[in-house]
């Protein structure tokens, strides 16, 4: 049951080609980004993140757990929800701030979303190399000539697989990729021997290994290079009309993340007691994933370049975007 629940949560993390598509365009054109928007006098900030209890989107739920918001603004109230259509919710005005993969945000902006990235949530590319439990492979180099599962072409796993193959100097005929849909399908392919390996986020990868269904070899963030797994973004309406509240929210978002990063017992308490996570899984996430969370949201030029490269690979409609475009989408919260 643990692995199944983890799989359902993590599967929504896969970055899809055209993730926002026509639905977002309709929302933007039909609502103008104003439907359901708060009155200017309201101090509530509505936040939506991609997945509930996701270690890569730490600050909002940590802020709720720590009841921290009033320390940054005594009148601020924050409501947090989760759902896959984060960009669409912000476009429709039903949320003020979203937390999602940077690829999705940039792709959505290129299709009409009036929003800006205000900081990183997890400022590294958090994907792990996973093989069968009886595999003799100890690193990516041992998998030359093997078959890799991906959820779909253009997904995060597809991008990471291609990136690693390029770094290893492999030609296209020295490895194979097979689309398997969801994480359940990938796991079935691994068990049957149809595929030899795949790349996925730590939450699900660790859960599969704990259940004896897979073996985790390595995190690929250093091979992929500077990047970010998740970012915090806000509608430009929110930024323009309520900049001090956006800054107050971000201040407490990163304050909450830092407290969880610095206090293992507090992190364990939140993940086990509040999130309902298996203690052994929580311990591994605290050791290996939580340290990659951002303490201040700052993104470097190299990270922005990495994000652009990943966006080009995963969202074909964003192929014309330049680094200048990405830089213009990034409005660091401390400088609002």
């Amino acid at each position: 049951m643990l692995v199944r629940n983890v799989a359902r949560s993590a599967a929504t993390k896969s970055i899809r080609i055209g993730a926002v598509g026509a639905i977002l365009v309709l929302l933007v054109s039909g609502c103008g980004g104003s439907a359901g928007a708060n009155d200017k006098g309201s101090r509530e900030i509505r936040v939506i993140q991609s997945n509930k209890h996701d270690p890569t989107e730490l600050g909002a739920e940590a802020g709720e757990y720590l009841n921290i918001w009033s320390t940054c603004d005594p009148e601020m109230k924050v409501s947090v929800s989760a759902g896959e259509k984060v960009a669409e919710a912000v476009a429709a005005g039903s949320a003020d701030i979203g937390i999602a993969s940077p690829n999705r945000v940039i792709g959505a902006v290129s299709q009409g979303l009036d929003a800006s990235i205000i900081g990183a949530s997890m400022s590294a590319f958090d994907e792990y190399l996973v093989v069968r439990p009886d595999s003799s492979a100890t690193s990516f180099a041992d998998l030359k000539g093997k078959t890799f599962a991906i959820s779909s072409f253009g997904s995060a796993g597809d991008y990471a697989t291609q990136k690693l193959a390029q770094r290893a100097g492999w030609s296209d005929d020295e490895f194979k990729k097979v689309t398997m849909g969801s994480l359940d399908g990938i796991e079935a392919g691994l068990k049957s021997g149809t595929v030899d390996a795949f790349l996925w986020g730590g939450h699900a990868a660790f859960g599969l290994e704990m259940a004896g269904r897979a073996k985790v070899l390595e995190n690929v963030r250093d091979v992929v290079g500077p990047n970010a797994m998740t970012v915090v973004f806000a509608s430009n309406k929110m930024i323009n009309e309520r900049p001090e509240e956006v800054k107050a929210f971000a201040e407490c978002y990163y304050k909450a993340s830092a407290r969880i990063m610095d206090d293992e017992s507090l992190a364990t308490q939140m993940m086990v007691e509040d999130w309902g996570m298996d203690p052994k899984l929580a311990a591994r996430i605290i050791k290996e994933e939580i340290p990659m969370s951002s303490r201040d949201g700052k993104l470097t030029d190299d990270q922005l370049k990495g994000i652009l490269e990943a966006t080009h690979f995963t969202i074909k409609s964003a192929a014309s975007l330049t680094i200048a475009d990405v830089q213009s989408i990034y409005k660091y919260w401390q400088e609002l």
Side-chain angles (χ1 to χ4, degrees):
M1 181 63 70
L2 166 67
V3 175
R4 188 66 59 203
N5 289 339
V6 167
R8 290 196 187 105
S9 174
T12 61
K13 201 68 185 174
S14 174
I15 307 169
R16 298 177 179 84
I17 296 175
V20 289
I23 294 176
L24 176 60
V25 174
L26 288 173
L27 285 171
V28 173
S29 61
C31 301
S34 62
N38 290 344
D39 294 332
K40 288 180 85 172
S42 173
R43 306 294 278 181
E44 181 185 12
I45 295 177
R46 299 158 302 165
V47 181
I48 182 169
Q49 58 189 52
S50 299
N51 298 291
K52 189 175 183 180
H53 304 338
D54 188 336
T56 76
E57 303 174 345
L58 185 61
E61 286 187 275
E64 280 198 324
Y65 182 74
L66 298 171
N67 194 25
I68 203 171
W69 308 115
S70 63
T71 67
C72 298
D73 181 342
E75 298 181 24
M76 180 170 59
K77 295 181 180 179
V78 176
S79 60
V80 182
S81 61
E84 188 175 352
K85 297 186 181 300
V86 176
E88 291 89 336
V90 174
S94 57
D96 306 303
I97 290 176
I99 309 164
S101 71
N103 313 57
R104 289 191 176 191
V105 180
I106 293 170
V109 170
S110 73
Q111 296 183 28
L113 173 64
D114 188 21
S116 299
I117 293 172
I118 62 171
S121 181
M122 178 171 278
S123 51
F125 194 88
D126 182 46
E127 290 265 318
Y128 289 79
L129 179 60
V130 183
V131 296
R132 288 192 298 273
D134 60 349
S135 174
S136 61
T138 59
S139 69
F140 187 80
D142 296 329
L143 296 167
K144 188 174 183 179
K146 302 297 184 180
T147 300
F148 290 80
I150 59 174
S151 59
S152 62
F153 289 109
S155 67
D158 186 13
Y159 169 69
T161 302
Q162 191 69 36
K163 185 77 171 180
L164 266 64
Q166 289 175 352
R167 289 290 183 93
W170 296 355
S171 62
D172 289 344
D173 60 358
E174 289 180 312
F175 70 105
K176 185 179 180 181
K177 294 184 297 181
V178 178
T179 57
M180 305 291 288
S182 68
L183 184 60
D184 287 343
I186 291 175
E187 183 189 350
L190 198 70
K191 183 177 181 179
S192 68
T194 303
V195 298
D196 301 293
F198 68 97
L199 289 127
W200 209 273
H203 192 181
F206 298 157
L208 289 171
E209 185 171 63
M210 285 176 54
R213 299 178 186 176
K215 180 169 65 174
V216 178
L217 297 187
E218 58 187 319
N219 189 295
V220 302
R221 61 182 178 271
D222 292 335
V223 177
V224 170
N227 212 303
M229 199 69 191
T230 48
V231 295
V232 183
F233 69 103
S235 71
N236 285 327
K237 176 182 174 65
M238 180 73 175
I239 291 172
N240 293 333
E241 295 182 357
R242 302 161 65 192
E244 293 305 316
E245 292 174 58
V246 175
K247 290 172 72 173
F249 167 81
E251 178 188 350
C252 265
Y253 184 95
Y254 294 111
K255 185 186 293 186
S257 294
R259 283 189 59 184
I260 295 299
M261 293 167 73
D262 292 338
D263 191 331
E264 183 176 335
S265 62
L266 184 62
T268 301
Q269 183 178 327
M270 181 184 75
M271 292 184 183
V272 174
E273 296 181 8
D274 190 57
W275 292 11
M277 190 178 291
D278 181 279
K280 291 183 179 179
L281 178 59
R284 188 163 183 186
I285 287 174
I286 290 167
K287 179 182 178 181
E288 299 189 37
E289 287 207 285
I290 295 302
M292 291 188 285
S293 295
S294 180
R295 293 177 179 273
D296 60 9
K298 189 71 174 178
L299 286 164
T300 66
D301 285 342
D302 285 342
Q303 286 174 312
L304 293 176
K305 290 175 184 176
I307 288 170
L308 176 62
E309 179 185 76
T311 303
H312 282 163
F313 184 88
T314 57
I315 303 177
K316 301 306 181 185
S317 62
S320 64
L321 291 179
T322 67
I323 188 60
D325 294 324
V326 175
Q327 289 169 337
S328 70
I329 293 169
Y330 174 48
K331 297 178 182 176
Y332 186 45
W333 67 273
Q334 289 190 9
E335 300 171 359
L336 294 179

